[in-house]
Amino acid sequence: MTHVTQAPVPARVVLNHADIDRALTRIAHEILEANKGSKDLVLLGIPRRGYPLAVRLAQKIAAADPAVDAAAIVGQLDVTMFRDDLSHQPTRPPHRTQLPLSGIDNKVVVLIDDVLYSGRTIRAALDAIVDLGRPRIVRLAVLIDRGHRELPIRADHVGKNLPTSSAEKVRVRLEETDVIDGQAVNEVVIEAGA
């Protein structure tokens, strides 16, 4: 019997640095429009890649509205202990939850994540928010919506809808978190599943 091994299929780049930047600019303007300005706005990034995306969005919002202090509207929301799949996933270290000094009570909170897939991370984020305060509104912004929802969760702001098979992997690589061959990268790739 002969075994034929196939060469791995290279990852296909679907968004490059410029594409990500354009998507974030559009999302920032959509957030301002939906909120009718920047009043009471808080951006909470979900680690690991949602937080740097939240920082970038805050900078774009501040560029569009000079009254905004980008650093004052950004926070990080760890959802690790609120996940319903802890027993099925490899152990992951929790990140610190950091809220803006103004808190989240009666604020318009926009959750920021890199990829929306099953919806379980966002469900966990909603549970985490309840423990921290009572926002007036909670919205969701994601760079990629790849479908395959398991829960009735929908993003309000999407950088790119990316239909995929459930066997494929969508990887968001950001210069704040990812280095390949010594180079910081900004791209979204699809890797073929096994």
Side-chain angles (χ1 to χ4, degrees):
M1 179 180 268
T2 311
H3 292 282
V4 177
T5 56
Q6 293 179 317
V9 177
R12 179 171 48 102
V13 176
V14 292
L15 293 179
N16 61 27
H17 178 74
D19 298 327
I20 292 170
D21 191 59
R22 274 192 301 277
L24 293 177
T25 299
R26 183 173 40 76
I27 290 171
H29 286 280
E30 287 177 5
I31 289 169
L32 284 170
E33 185 177 329
N35 196 50
K36 296 179 177 49
S38 59
K39 187 174 188 299
D40 294 329
L41 193 60
V42 171
L43 307 181
L44 291 182
I46 299 172
R48 193 164 117 152
R49 289 169 187 84
Y51 178 69
L53 290 173
V55 170
R56 291 184 193 187
L57 281 169
Q59 291 166 348
K60 290 184 178 296
I61 287 169
D65 182 350
V68 173
D69 175 2
I73 66 168
V74 176
Q76 177 171 274
L77 180 67
D78 181 61
V79 301
T80 304
M81 300 314 293
F82 294 90
R83 294 192 61 94
D84 63 0
D85 59 357
L86 283 175
S87 62
H88 300 48
Q89 297 287 330
T91 303
R92 59 179 106 183
H95 292 80
R96 266 186 46 212
T97 290
Q98 300 169 285
L99 297 181
L101 290 177
S102 62
I104 63 169
D105 286 332
N106 206 32
K107 301 289 185 186
V108 176
V109 172
V110 182
L111 294 173
I112 314 292
D113 206 3
D114 57 348
V115 178
L116 178 57
Y117 183 41
S118 68
R120 294 189 178 279
T121 298
I122 303 309
R123 188 218 44 88
L126 293 170
D127 287 348
I129 283 176
V130 169
D131 277 5
L132 298 170
R134 190 174 192 282
R136 185 169 74 240
I137 298 172
V138 178
R139 294 193 174 113
L140 174 61
V142 296
L143 183 60
I144 301 293
D145 183 344
R146 62 172 294 194
H148 304 282
R149 219 73 76 239
E150 296 173 2
L151 298 170
I153 290 175
R154 176 186 62 80
D156 299 285
H157 310 287
V158 177
K160 183 167 181 70
N161 285 295
L162 194 60
T164 59
S165 81
S166 56
E168 291 174 312
K169 303 282 186 210
V170 175
R171 305 271 188 226
V172 174
R173 299 173 178 154
L174 303 175
E175 64 189 30
E176 296 92 339
T177 57
D178 301 285
V179 175
I180 297 176
D181 297 329
Q183 295 285 341
V185 292
N186 284 290
E187 62 186 10
V188 177
V189 300
I190 295 179
E191 298 171 350

